[in-house]
Amino acid sequence: MTGVCDRAPDFLSPSGEQVLGPVLGSAVALNCTAWVASGPQCPLPSVQWLKDGLPLGNGSRYSLQDSWVKANLSEVLVSSVLGVDLTGAGDYGAFTCCIRNVSSSSFTLRRA
């Protein structure tokens, strides 16, 4: 039996895999927001971003803003916004937001 802390996040954004076509030279903000199970026994959820299946490391050239809002005793709203400046062809790819390494939601940036 799984515990309350193991419940998969309920993603609000994106609601499914999104494929975006921003033009070279533009900037995009990828918003990953989800309701996550919370409680005294649950750790604060962790958020990790991947590009083409590989973790974005500390000091990478992407901007990142995370926030947690405790809504009630059973859920917390987690929001992570990844800023991507599209300066070259290598900036396009599949970006994945993982919350607590239990669940994930994806964005794909394709050159327009």
Side-chain angles (χ1 to χ4, degrees), residues 76-94:
V76 63
L77 184 67
V78 177
S79 181
S80 182
V81 178
L82 179 70
V84 181
D85 290 322
L86 300 162
T87 59
D91 295 322
Y92 292 91

Side-chain angles (χ1 to χ4, degrees), residues 11-90:
F11 285 94
L12 304 175
S13 174
S15 56
E17 183 173 338
Q18 290 188 358
V19 178
L20 308 171
V23 297
L24 190 62
S26 66
V28 294
L30 305 178
N31 179 1
C32 178
T33 302
W35 285 108
V36 180
S38 177
Q41 71 279 15
C42 302
L44 190 63
S46 63
V47 178
Q48 181 181 36
W49 283 91
L50 309 173
K51 179 180 184 277
D52 299 326
L54 300 174
L56 295 179
N58 291 339
S60 70
R61 57 187 208 187
Y62 303 98
S63 63
L64 185 62
Q65 182 178 3
D66 293 334
S67 64
W68 293 265
V69 176
K70 189 106 174 153
N72 54 49
L73 294 177
S74 64
E75 290 185 310
V76 63
L77 184 67
V78 177
S79 181
S80 182
V81 178
L82 179 70
V84 181
D85 290 322
L86 300 162
T87 59

